[in-house]
Amino acid sequence: MAKIRKLVIPAAGLGTRGLPFTKEIPKEMLPIIDTPTLQFIVEEAVSAGIEQVILVTSKGKSAMEDYFDPSPYLEEFLRSKGKNDLADCVKRLGHLVEVLSVRQKEPKGLGHAVLCAKPIVGNEPFAVCLGDEIFAPWAKGGVQGLKNLVRSAEETSRSVIGVLKVPEDEICHYGAVDAGGKEFGSESPVPILGTVEKPPAKLAPSLYAIIGRYAFQPEIFEALESLSPGSQSEIQLTDAMNTLAKRGRLDGMLFTDRRYDIGNHLYYVLAQVDSALHRPELSAKIRPLIQKLLEEK
């Protein structure tokens, strides 16, 4: 049983959904109150047993790697001001996990971004988390989905992806999976027969959407390398997953964690509010303020 030790975070995109903020700042650094989205993802991965994070980046994205570097001078300054809790937080970030980066020099799609990490990943199973999706660690029960994917992939030596059931009018925005009519659960993997990228609702094989959490066996690299560039000269990860599915090498598991798409303005705001309502120093103050805003509206 090969242990999954490495996580790939594709983060080379232009972040157009977050403009103008993301013109100079990576979307993965969008904060939920005072915590960057990227930190939530890395902490989720560490809790799932990940030891090394590989950022697939492009020009202007160095802030992500810098964020996890030790900052002894900042720690010293904070302690001199008596802010030991903040100093401890900064110290923890600098020792949380090993973070490496590799460049995706051309925007050739998500599949190509994952393939860029192959020289570091090598011939090992690995996880992938998309940088604009977070699962609320403050919610009851914490975040279990990635842990379940990693556990299943380690036990079965098969690739396993996260799925979520979405409304019919939303499936066209996701990759959809064909499981032969079977229902997914969060504890046991279900074999996937095929995947389709952003199908019209009437042609979707199911309403189970592929979300941004994956645990792959190294054979995904071979599948990616065998693909010809498709629309806009991109290599799609969904197409490579379909190759694995046709070989009988792909499973899916249902995610029940509370999910937020940070690139969607509505869900980004909801993530902020949800996080604030779960922070003791903010919750009691924000509730009457929200109520007041609703009444004034």
Side-chain angles (χ1 to χ4, degrees):
M1 180 176 72
K3 179 176 170 53
I4 293 180
R5 304 181 303 111
K6 299 179 180 181
L7 169 74
V8 174
I9 302 179
L14 295 175
T16 53
R17 293 194 297 168
L19 289 171
F21 182 87
T22 51
K23 177 179 178 292
E24 298 297 332
I25 300 173
K27 66 179 179 181
E28 294 79 11
M29 298 302 289
L30 282 165
I32 306 300
I33 304 181
D34 56 3
T35 304
T37 298
L38 182 64
Q39 182 177 331
F40 285 116
I41 296 169
V42 170
E43 289 176 338
E44 174 190 355
V46 169
S47 72
I50 296 299
E51 301 170 6
Q52 185 181 77
V53 172
I54 303 159
L55 301 171
V56 182
T57 66
S58 57
K59 184 178 180 180
K61 299 269 189 166
S62 60
M64 292 185 293
E65 194 171 3
D66 293 345
Y67 184 75
F68 294 99
D69 280 346
S71 303
Y73 297 114
L74 178 57
E75 287 178 42
E76 183 180 349
F77 172 79
L78 291 170
R79 295 194 193 284
S80 72
K81 299 297 182 181
K83 298 180 179 181
N84 290 318
D85 287 348
L86 273 177
D88 290 343
C89 178
V90 170
K91 182 177 182 178
R92 175 178 171 272
L93 284 172
H95 298 84
L96 184 60
V97 71
E98 181 183 16
V99 178
L100 306 174
S101 67
V102 62
R103 286 291 187 108
Q104 184 185 23
K105 296 183 179 181
E106 299 178 76
K108 292 184 177 181
L110 178 57
H112 180 260
V114 172
L115 192 54
C116 287
K118 181 181 177 182
I120 300 177
V121 172
N123 193 37
E124 294 184 31
F126 64 102
V128 174
C129 290
L130 300 191
D132 52 7
E133 294 184 30
I134 65 168
F135 294 86
W138 54 80
K140 186 177 180 180
V143 183
Q144 302 299 321
L146 183 62
K147 292 179 185 178
N148 290 339
L149 293 188
V150 167
R151 171 183 54 79
S152 179
E154 289 178 345
E155 291 177 351
T156 66
S157 297
R158 293 162 60 89
S159 294
V160 192
I161 63 175
V163 301
L164 184 69
K165 200 165 190 177
V166 300
E168 185 175 353
D169 61 351
E170 292 185 16
I171 193 64
C172 61
H173 302 300
Y174 296 88
V177 301
D178 178 4
K182 292 182 179 179
E183 295 293 316
F184 286 88
S186 60
E187 297 297 327
S188 299
V190 173
I192 291 175
L193 307 179
T195 62
V196 183
E197 179 68 13
K198 298 181 179 178
K202 292 182 178 180
L203 300 178
S206 75
L207 296 181
Y208 284 105
I210 303 169
I211 55 175
R213 297 294 185 270
Y214 320 81
F216 289 124
Q217 301 300 325
E219 62 190 332
I220 189 68
F221 290 133
E222 176 194 345
L224 287 166
E225 289 169 335
S226 71
L227 294 175
S228 299
S231 175
Q232 299 179 346
S233 298
E234 293 185 344
I235 296 175
Q236 295 295 344
L237 184 59
T238 305
D239 293 338
M241 290 189 290
N242 189 51
T243 299
L244 297 187
K246 298 303 182 185
R247 295 175 183 170
R249 296 286 300 159
L250 184 68
D251 294 336
M253 296 181 75
L254 183 71
F255 265 54
T256 58
D257 301 323
R258 190 179 303 172
R259 171 182 175 268
Y260 289 108
D261 176 359
I262 300 305
N264 180 300
H265 291 174
L266 171 62
Y267 292 105
Y268 179 58
V269 172
L270 282 175
Q272 302 277 6
V273 174
D274 189 15
S275 176
L277 290 173
H278 283 81
R279 291 178 62 153
E281 76 277 18
L282 294 175
S283 179
K285 297 177 181 179
I286 197 173
R287 290 177 186 273
L289 291 173
I290 291 175
Q291 185 60 43
K292 183 179 179 181
L293 288 173
L294 290 172
E295 291 170 356
E296 291 177 353
K297 192 65 175 177

